[in-house]
């Protein structure tokens, strides 16, 4: 996702070759990729895609990783059949492309997925994780749905408007120090406003030397220097879900 003041697409980075452990299902008006937990404990996590769509292997890899920690995970198509961003497309067309894909206009899809998880998967405790575009959507969900017990927004765009700091439940924000999409000044403002207005648990964590997309789009072995940060961020994500779901 891009800075709303100067929108431009982010780099797809390292696209994994990964088939997935789950299956595709129909959830009311949208398709989704679901991976069942190996142990049914009534816990589920919704995973929200980045601009490259719900079928990106990297996002499915993250969903399967989370599922391995005793959660049923689901990656719905929050673009509702509309095409994801094509990395080969002309970047000048991105502002027009994103107009029909507002990360804060996802309520119909969120509610459909919540119904599915409760009725079909018998989920009693639900969390949410999102990357890039999905990180912004997670922020919106955590302001809107108190039934979602925990959220993790991973390099989600920050929109400084009134009312975006009253989180309903614990939320972890993960950012990258060298993110050309989200300036550190925006992260600082978010931190200050949350400290002033937020009454639930939250954490804002910035990873030194990392760039946009490092958590889910970098291969673990792409750089020995980066690997500890990727592993730490993924571990923090799981720990947050475990603590609050």
């Amino acid at each position: 996702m891009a800075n709303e003041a100067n929108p431009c697409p982010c780099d797809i980075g390292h696209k994994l070759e990964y088939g997935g452990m789950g299956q595709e299902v129909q959830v009311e008006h949208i398709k989704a990729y679901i991976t069942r937990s190996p142990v049914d404990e009534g816990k589920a996590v919704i995973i929200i895609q980045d601009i490259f769509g719900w079928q990106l292997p990297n996002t499915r890899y993250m969903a399967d990783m989370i599922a391995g920690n005793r959660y049923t995970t689901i990656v719905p198509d929050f673009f509702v059949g509309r095409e994801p961003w094509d990395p080969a497309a002309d970047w000048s067309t991105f502002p027009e492309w994103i107009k029909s894909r507002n990360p804060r206009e996802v309520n119909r899809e969120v509610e459909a997925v919540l119904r599915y998880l409760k009725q079909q998967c018998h989920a009693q405790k639900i969390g949410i994780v999102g990357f890039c575009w999905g990180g912004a959507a997670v922020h919106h969900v955590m302001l809107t749905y108190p039934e979602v017990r925990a959220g993790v927004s991973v390099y989600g765009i920050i929109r400084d408007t009134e009312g975006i700091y009253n989180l309903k439940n614990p939320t972890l924000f993960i950012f990258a120090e060298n993110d050309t999409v989200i300036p550190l000044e925006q992260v600082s403002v978010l931190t200050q406003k949350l400290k002033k207005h937020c009454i639930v648990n939250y954490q804002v964590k910035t990873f030194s030397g990392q760039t946009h997309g490092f958590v889910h789009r970098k291969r673990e072995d792409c750089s020995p220097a980066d690997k500890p940060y990727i592993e730490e961020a993924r571990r923090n994500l799981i720990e947050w879900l475990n603590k609050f779901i």
Side-chain angles (χ1 to χ4, degrees):
M1 185 57 188
N3 184 309
E4 285 183 337
N6 184 27
C8 63
C10 49
D11 185 3
I12 197 169
H14 297 275
K15 185 176 180 179
L16 300 180
E17 294 179 4
Y18 181 71
M21 298 171 58
Q23 61 181 328
E24 294 187 4
V25 296
Q26 189 72 33
V27 178
E28 297 186 19
H29 64 293
I30 53 176
K31 294 181 178 179
Y33 171 82
I34 188 168
T35 305
R36 302 275 183 167
S37 166
V39 180
D40 185 6
E41 296 183 352
K43 300 186 299 182
V45 176
I46 302 167
I47 314 293
I48 306 187
Q49 70 216 38
D50 60 15
I51 62 172
F52 301 108
W54 72 292
Q55 293 177 311
L56 185 72
N58 306 50
T59 305
R60 295 188 174 194
Y61 174 83
M62 293 299 297
D64 290 350
M65 182 198 76
I66 295 170
N69 287 269
R70 300 189 173 199
Y71 297 96
T72 289
T73 58
I74 189 167
V75 187
D77 176 14
F78 275 92
F79 291 165
V80 197
R82 294 186 294 271
E83 289 298 314
W85 177 253
D86 182 351
D90 183 347
W91 286 24
S92 67
T93 65
F94 183 78
E96 187 64 30
W97 176 88
I98 199 67
K99 284 181 182 178
S100 62
R101 297 161 179 82
N102 188 330
R104 294 166 191 86
E105 295 178 358
V106 295
N107 289 13
R108 185 183 178 210
E109 289 67 55
V110 169
E111 289 162 15
V113 174
L114 288 172
R115 283 191 293 270
Y116 181 88
L117 289 174
K118 293 173 185 176
Q119 296 171 7
Q120 303 298 322
C121 305
H122 311 293
Q124 300 170 326
K125 302 175 181 179
I126 300 172
I128 194 164
V129 175
F131 303 92
C132 182
W133 185 93
V138 163
H139 193 156
H140 166 75
V141 169
M142 296 310 293
L143 294 167
T144 310
Y145 293 93
E147 63 196 290
V148 180
R149 295 189 173 211
V152 182
S153 172
V154 187
Y155 28 80
I157 187 174
I158 304 166
R159 186 179 182 184
D160 185 18
T161 59
E162 294 300 322
I164 69 165
Y165 308 107
N166 299 317
L167 300 168
K168 302 295 185 184
N169 276 315
T171 307
L172 169 64
F173 297 88
I174 292 176
F175 295 104
E177 180 185 32
N178 297 332
D179 192 331
T180 59
V181 176
I182 304 172
L184 288 178
E185 292 79 8
Q186 290 187 6
V187 178
S188 178
V189 169
L190 174 69
T191 304
Q192 293 168 16
K193 294 287 185 70
L194 286 172
K195 185 175 182 180
K196 183 177 180 180
H197 299 289
C198 188
I199 61 173
V200 301
N201 284 290
Y202 71 88
Q203 183 179 0
V204 179
K205 187 166 184 178
T206 302
F207 283 79
S208 176
Q210 299 306 294
T211 57
H212 192 83
F214 79 100
V215 177
H216 79 301
R217 288 210 300 273
K218 278 189 175 179
R219 290 184 180 275
E220 290 88 333
D221 60 351
C222 68
S223 165
D226 289 328
K227 187 173 181 178
Y229 296 105
I230 298 168
E231 291 178 344
E232 181 182 353
R234 293 178 178 181
R235 185 171 63 250
N236 291 165
L237 184 159
I238 295 296
E239 290 170 348
W240 191 267
L241 297 175
N242 289 345
K243 183 175 182 179
F244 294 108
I245 293 181

